[in-house]
Amino acid sequence: MTKVLVATEKPFAATAVKQIKGIFEDAGYDCTFFEKYSGQDEFIAAVKDAEAMIVRSDNVNPEVLNAATNLKIVVRAGAGFDNVNLEAATKNNVVVMNTPGQNSNAVAELALGMMVYQARNHFNGTSGTELCCKKLGIHAYGNVGKLVAKIAKGFGMEVFAFDPFVAKEKIEADEVTVLDTVEELYSICDYVSLHIPSNEHTIMSINYDLLSKMKPGAVLVNTARKEVINEDDMLKIFEDFSTFKYVSDIAPTNKDIFLDKYPNRCFFSPKKMGAQTAEANINAGKAAAHQIINFLEKGDSTFKVN
Ligand code: 3PG
């Protein structure tokens, strides 16, 4: 029996777990759920027999991959695969896939939710502002960015985007104004929503130079990755620009400094919540299960990223 390990430190919703289990049972696979584990050592011990693995933001580092001597495939149930060491996976002949688009709506809804939360002063009873008629800049127009644009239009926002990797016509087809430079996006918008992946080109790319271009009172929304922010620069921006605000689904490493000094100008989720809905868990979890079966039985490597 093929052994599958679903290693999710942050568990899927119970309904998703049930459906993932059902897919593997029907295929005659032996599926184990390894949830809420407390450290990398436990993770390493758990992967020993796994031939296939589903993970979320779990840290699939070289030690994990070396311990998983039977592993053929790992599917990251989600979009970003920066938590999987692709080099070590390839070296160990392990195929890595993601499930693009499956949790995008959940993340997009949260991005708008965070904008409302900041616009209404953290629901503290004071008078806030509205999103309607404000300019929203979408930094990277992938699956999430596209949905953020769609929802923002429902709020009556004026939507702009910067993404050198997506054809201008494709973005314009959504009635979104394409900007040619990232600097322009940051300087004209009231809200900027980040949707760039974390990789060698983007890590710490959101820096003082870029953030200092934002309008007075502007809000940066991050439902992408904390690694893309230059944290020292961000702190300086908070000091130098007294109306700058930052809401993020991924808390900065030094979150207490931000929260102590600027409690009304920032918010951080206690744990990344963007994809944490039953629907997103079902979509991404089921897609991951099917991708594993299709790969092992038919050699289908759609969504392979290494
Ligand atoms: C993703 O890259 O898909 C999101 O960041 C979701 O991450 P999560 O599965 O850890 O919630």
Side-chain angles (χ1 to χ4, degrees), residues 48-214:
K48 203 163 48 77
D49 300 324
E51 289 160 75
M53 194 154 75
I54 295 178
V55 295
R56 295 185 66 179
S57 291
D58 305 81
N59 182 8
V60 186
N61 61 15
E63 290 72 40
V64 170
L65 288 158
N66 290 338
T69 46
N70 296 337
L71 194 64
K72 297 186 183 77
I73 176 167
V74 49
V75 181
R76 192 281 190 244
F81 46 86
D82 47 309
N83 54 313
V84 182
N85 188 308
L86 297 188
E87 213 177 295
T90 306
K91 204 167 130 215
N92 291 11
N93 287 320
V94 173
V95 164
V96 181
M97 294 183 188
N98 66 346
T99 65
Q102 300 292 347
N103 59 18
S104 305
N105 188 64
V107 181
E109 286 189 11
L110 187 78
L112 268 297
M114 293 183 97
M115 287 179 219
V116 173
Y117 185 69
Q118 187 58 51
R120 296 303 184 94
N121 301 330
H122 301 189
F123 304 150
N124 69 2
T126 62
S127 189
T129 54
E130 300 179 17
L131 299 186
C132 187
C133 305
K134 303 298 185 305
K135 289 184 167 67
L136 167 65
I138 299 181
H139 188 171
Y141 204 77
N143 291 314
V144 181
K146 192 178 167 68
L147 287 164
V148 168
K150 185 177 153 199
I151 302 168
K153 278 167 173 286
F155 277 89
M157 297 184 93
E158 203 184 332
V159 185
F160 299 81
F162 170 76
D163 192 331
F165 302 103
V166 178
K168 205 172 177 175
E169 306 76 58
K170 264 187 129 174
I171 303 176
E172 284 172 346
D174 294 342
E175 294 180 7
V176 169
T177 304
V178 178
L179 298 175
D180 293 328
T181 66
V182 70
E183 287 78 13
E184 210 185 338
L185 188 85
Y186 280 69
S187 56
I188 69 164
C189 292
D190 303 291
Y191 290 83
V192 172
S193 192
L194 267 174
H195 301 291
I196 53 176
S198 171
N199 59 39
E200 62 194 38
H201 306 292
T202 61
I203 287 174
M204 302 227 285
S205 63
I206 309 304
N207 55 21
Y208 190 92
D209 191 40
L210 194 56
L211 295 172
S212 63
K213 297 191 166 33
M214 292 182 85

Side-chain angles (χ1 to χ4, degrees), residues 276-306:
Q276 199 62 325
T277 66
E279 293 89 337
N281 291 170
I282 290 168
N283 293 341
K286 280 172 66 181
H290 286 304
Q291 284 172 220
I292 285 174
I293 295 166
N294 288 340
F295 173 73
L296 293 177
E297 314 218 332
K298 300 182 203 148
D300 180 351
S301 56
T302 312
F303 304 126
K304 181 173 184 270
V305 294
N306 67 331

Side-chain angles (χ1 to χ4, degrees), residues 219-280:
V219 181
L220 180 73
V221 182
N222 186 2
T223 54
R225 291 289 182 270
K226 73 172 178 175
E227 288 79 7
V228 301
I229 306 285
N230 181 323
E231 252 187 57
D232 291 343
D233 283 11
M234 173 71 88
L235 261 179
K236 240 185 138 314
I237 287 286
F238 266 95
E239 273 159 34
D240 294 353
F241 298 87
S242 63
T243 60
F244 171 81
K245 302 177 190 87
Y246 178 49
V247 286
S248 179
D249 189 30
I250 322 94
T253 307
N254 293 308
K255 71 172 186 336
D256 294 339
I257 301 179
F258 289 90
L259 291 168
D260 287 348
K261 284 187 164 172
Y262 313 107
N264 303 322
R265 292 165 56 201
C266 59
F267 169 79
F268 310 122
S269 309
K271 199 160 214 179
K272 187 164 57 154
M273 293 298 297
Q276 199 62 325
T277 66
E279 293 89 337

Side-chain angles (χ1 to χ4, degrees), residues 20 31 44 165 270 296 299:
I20 296 164
C31 172
I44 289 168
F165 302 103
L296 293 177

